[in-house]
Amino acid sequence: MFSRAYRTAITLPPLVWVLVFLLIPYALLFCFSFWSVSPAQSIVHSWTFDNYRELLRVNVYLQTLFRSMWIAARVMLFSLLLGYPLAYYLSFHAGRRKDLFYQLVIIPLWVSYLVRAYAWKTILGSDGVLNTLLQYVHLTQHPLDFLLYSPFAVVLTLTHIYTPFAFLPIYASLEHIPPQLVEASQDLGASPFQTFWRVILPLSIPGVVAGATFSFVLSLGDFLAPLLLGGPSGIMISNIVVSLFGAAYNWPLGAAISFCMMVLVVALLFMSEKLEKKWSFR
Amino acid sequence: MELPLRALESSVTASRWLPWHAALVFGFLYLPIVTLIVYSFNGSGVGGFPPRDLTLAWYRLLFADEAIWTSVLNSLLVAIAAVIISLGFGIPAALALDRANFPGKALFRRLVLLPLILPGIITGLSLLMLFREADIKLSLLTIALGHGTALISVATTEVFAGLQKLDRSQEEASLDLGANYWQTFRHVTLPNLRLSIIGAALLIFTLSMDEIAVSFFLIGRDNTLPLEIWGRLRRGITPEINAISSIIFVFSLFAILIWYRLRVASEVQPEIAAELLESPAQGD
């Protein structure tokens, strides 16, 4: 029903824009990763594998990448542990308060990410709210110094930020489960636990996979929480990229790291899409 | 054996720990926000329990702080530009995904959505390289271009969801009755998408006001609000930051209230995050 001219008119402008401002920049990132910096600090546009060799040669890059993945994995795990039961509760037990609770999960998403990370800093600091509270009630004599400037602080803050991201797709998948399936399971004599384990959980796997992907991928690339709360032991891979693009001035090496991250993320997205399809019942 | 038919509500394990777990999660989600607001009134700095010397001094300081308000103004300008760019290209993109077939459509859809799930640092850096190679000076404009481009994803998903609810026979009728495509778009399609578009605009506006990873790399001489706050965090912290954050929180609350009303009104299932990974287009 739509003419060729109409279809061109709606397709061409976004296509061109996305080409110029997304595809070309991502391609440029790839190109930069094969360029180098001259001693006079200008970009040399000739092709070399040196940046990738450097990545494999210097331990700190891979170590930091693995540390970032380990932090992201913990954030993913905790977000799912917090998000899944909450989604399950809302979906099956919250009754009339469901909508209210749902909005309560959404609201923190609208509060600035930076501000929430900052708030954790004021809570966890050595004269922060938590430490002074603990001393106030005489649980501790001295401030606990592992609370801030540690991987712990980064995992805590990122879990706080990404729990709603894990919750949302899980909740959506639970809401999509036809009630008849649950009823049928009960009518056929399954115990509540069996109903959960054999019916509800498998049907919610696509949501779990989506939530896990969100929380893992987004925390993997984070650089503000580690800068603000991580201290030296909480440095993540993006912090290295930031410093390579700043003071260290080695854009090509930074581009190589970023490109590796991008490949990793796209591979994870691809895998999660496959997993979701496999477990989807629609 | 008799199997009583019970209501679905009570039939799934009503474990006693579930409500407690929910309360715990809500406590965890709201603890920093409550702390933030309480300590914006705290006379003796950002830490220290219990809060003491309640005061409005930090708000007074804030209202006299020109650098903050300049950055708020900058952020507003960037957010408005971002809304215009992302809707300007996101609405046609959603229409294209819904009703046009072209080579590379699947790739196009993935590419549009990518900035949402890709760590912001990668999108920010890539654009930085583009502007550098094209010799474009960094400014608020480059930030607006970055936000606008990254948030086309939000506009596209929201409007695409709206299009799925749209009854195409209305457009057909309009075309059959002699309206041209532009008139049909203007008088039939657009009004039907009104709620999705306003919802998307609100979401994009708020996300842009808060965005920092992309702005971090595209910043020129003028700060946006998050970058201004970021700069201050690195120099040492005062409850003035709590104060500005609390004010923004109140505004965000209004935005989300409107946004949620719209969602309910347009009967689109509220699942922001889920839409993004679930492949929206069946027409690949």
Side-chain angles (χ1 to χ4, degrees):
Chain A
M1 91 188 231
F2 300 104
S3 74
R4 202 189 168 85
Y6 176 85
R7 278 179 280 143
T8 311
I10 55 174
T11 308
L12 209 55
L15 207 59
V16 170
W17 184 275
V18 163
L19 189 77
V20 173
F21 287 103
L22 279 180
L23 193 61
I24 292 181
Y26 290 143
L28 208 55
L29 181 80
F30 181 65
C31 294
F32 253 87
S33 74
F34 293 100
W35 294 343
S36 56
V37 190
S38 74
Q41 299 227 315
S42 63
I43 305 291
V44 182
H45 295 76
S46 63
W47 307 89
T48 164
F49 276 104
D50 282 356
N51 298 312
Y52 290 96
R53 265 191 223 113
E54 178 87 357
L55 286 188
L56 295 174
R57 198 178 57 82
V58 182
N59 283 334
V60 71
Y61 300 121
L62 277 180
Q63 272 169 9
T64 313
L65 180 65
F66 286 133
R67 184 195 299 142
S68 308
M69 289 170 78
W70 173 226
I71 288 180
R74 278 181 285 174
V75 172
M76 175 183 89
L77 180 70
F78 292 134
S79 305
L80 291 179
L81 287 178
L82 292 180
Y84 194 103
L86 183 68
Y88 182 84
Y89 174 70
L90 253 68
S91 203
F92 293 105
H93 295 296
R96 283 188 302 119
R97 278 166 299 180
K98 194 161 156 176
D99 273 349
L100 174 73
F101 285 164
Y102 178 80
Q103 291 185 54
L104 280 178
V105 184
I106 300 282
I107 288 173
L109 278 180
W110 291 64
V111 179
S112 163
Y113 157 88
L114 180 63
V115 162
R116 285 185 286 156
Y118 159 75
W120 279 111
K121 187 176 172 139
T122 68
I123 293 172
L124 299 173
S126 61
D127 41 347
V129 178
L130 184 58
N131 267 320
T132 44
L133 170 68
L134 289 174
Q135 287 169 53
Y136 185 77
V137 296
H138 298 292
L139 268 172
T140 55
Q141 304 304 317
H142 306 286
L144 305 170
D145 53 10
F146 68 88
L147 291 177
L148 190 58
Y149 303 124
S150 59
F152 166 81
V154 177
V155 171
L156 183 78
T157 304
L158 292 178
T159 303
H160 168 91
I161 287 163
Y162 294 118
T163 294
F165 284 83
F167 164 89
L168 284 169
I170 295 172
Y171 179 70
S173 69
L174 288 174
E175 287 287 279
H176 278 142
I177 295 178
Q180 300 92 312
L181 288 182
V182 180
E183 277 164 23
S185 160
Q186 284 155 356
D187 292 349
L188 294 170
S191 73
F193 179 76
Q194 282 172 318
T195 302
F196 172 74
W197 189 250
R198 311 274 301 260
V199 179
I200 297 175
L201 185 63
L203 290 175
S204 63
I205 293 290
V208 175
V209 172
T213 311
F214 275 128
S215 47
F216 184 85
V217 165
L218 291 173
S219 43
L220 180 70
D222 195 84
F223 67 100
L224 293 161
L227 263 182
L228 206 55
L229 307 125
S233 59
I235 290 291
M236 288 172 74
I237 191 72
S238 296
N239 297 108
I240 293 188
V241 176
V242 169
S243 72
L244 285 170
F245 272 80
Y249 199 78
N250 192 343
W251 286 27
L253 186 58
I257 299 178
S258 309
F259 188 73
C260 292
M261 267 167 71
M262 196 165 152
V263 170
L264 184 66
V265 167
V266 171
L268 285 171
L269 289 180
F270 183 76
M271 269 165 49
S272 92
E273 200 171 303
K274 283 268 173 291
L275 267 176
E276 276 178 69
K277 281 226 176 84
K278 190 175 162 226
W279 284 90
S280 161
F281 64 95
R282 272 170 287 174
Chain B
M1 197 170 102
E2 204 184 288
L3 290 168
L5 272 172
R6 291 153 297 188
L8 182 64
E9 279 291 307
S10 56
S11 62
V12 188
T13 354
S15 309
R16 237 174 261 142
W17 62 273
L18 272 175
W20 289 105
H21 179 276
L24 189 92
V25 177
F26 282 126
F28 176 61
L29 289 180
Y30 281 89
L31 173 71
I33 299 172
V34 172
T35 311
L36 189 84
I37 297 173
V38 168
Y39 281 84
S40 74
F41 300 104
N42 188 28
S44 51
V46 284
F49 187 89
R52 51 177 79 91
D53 315 325
L54 294 188
T55 172
L56 286 175
W58 302 112
Y59 286 87
R60 251 177 256 129
L61 200 65
L62 173 70
F63 284 112
D65 191 331
E66 269 185 44
I68 288 262
W69 296 109
T70 313
S71 71
V72 169
L73 187 69
N74 290 342
S75 276
L76 286 172
L77 290 175
V78 168
I80 290 167
V83 169
I84 293 169
I85 294 172
S86 46
L87 284 179
F89 293 96
I91 294 172
L95 288 169
L97 288 175
D98 185 51
R99 47 186 63 162
N101 276 312
F102 51 95
K105 185 176 173 182
L107 178 72
F108 173 71
R109 196 190 79 229
R110 278 161 211 271
L111 201 59
V112 165
L113 295 185
L114 201 53
L116 262 189
I117 185 74
L118 211 56
I121 181 174
I122 296 179
T123 307
L125 283 177
S126 306
L127 282 164
L128 174 64
M129 293 174 190
L130 176 77
F131 293 136
R132 185 203 153 95
E133 291 297 296
D135 248 335
I136 296 170
K137 245 181 103 190
L138 298 181
S139 64
L140 290 180
L141 180 69
T142 51
I143 297 185
L145 286 173
H147 287 188
T149 305
L151 295 170
I152 289 178
S153 44
V154 174
T156 307
T157 41
E158 294 279 307
V159 174
F160 189 85
L163 274 174
Q164 302 307 96
K165 312 266 161 199
L166 185 72
D167 186 359
R168 238 186 232 186
S169 56
Q170 286 188 23
E171 285 170 289
E172 257 168 69
S174 160
L175 290 171
D176 286 348
L177 293 171
N180 63 29
Y181 280 111
W182 170 247
Q183 288 167 326
T184 305
F185 176 73
R186 172 83 186 68
H187 296 291
V188 180
T189 320
L190 214 49
N192 272 302
L193 292 174
R194 202 183 68 236
L195 292 176
S196 312
I197 292 173
I198 300 174
L202 271 171
L203 203 54
I204 293 163
F205 188 86
T206 315
L207 289 172
S208 167
M209 285 294 288
D210 176 36
E211 211 290 328
I212 183 156
V214 171
S215 326
F216 192 86
F217 295 98
L218 301 180
I219 185 81
R221 284 170 58 197
D222 301 310
N223 266 348
T224 60
L225 178 63
L227 285 168
E228 176 72 29
I229 294 178
W230 176 250
R232 285 166 192 240
L233 290 187
R234 313 226 64 193
R235 290 199 298 266
I237 46 185
T238 73
E240 202 188 335
I241 294 171
N242 296 50
I244 182 75
S245 309
S246 306
I247 293 177
I248 298 171
F249 175 61
V250 173
F251 276 100
S252 305
L253 271 186
F254 280 114
I256 188 183
L257 220 66
I258 300 170
W259 177 81
Y260 195 81
R261 285 285 135 99
L262 289 173
R263 277 245 118 150
V264 174
S266 64
E267 287 172 43
V268 177
Q269 280 283 319
E271 3 175 303
I272 351 170
E275 281 163 14
L276 309 180
L277 265 189
E278 275 174 20
S279 11
Q282 289 91 29
D284 288 356

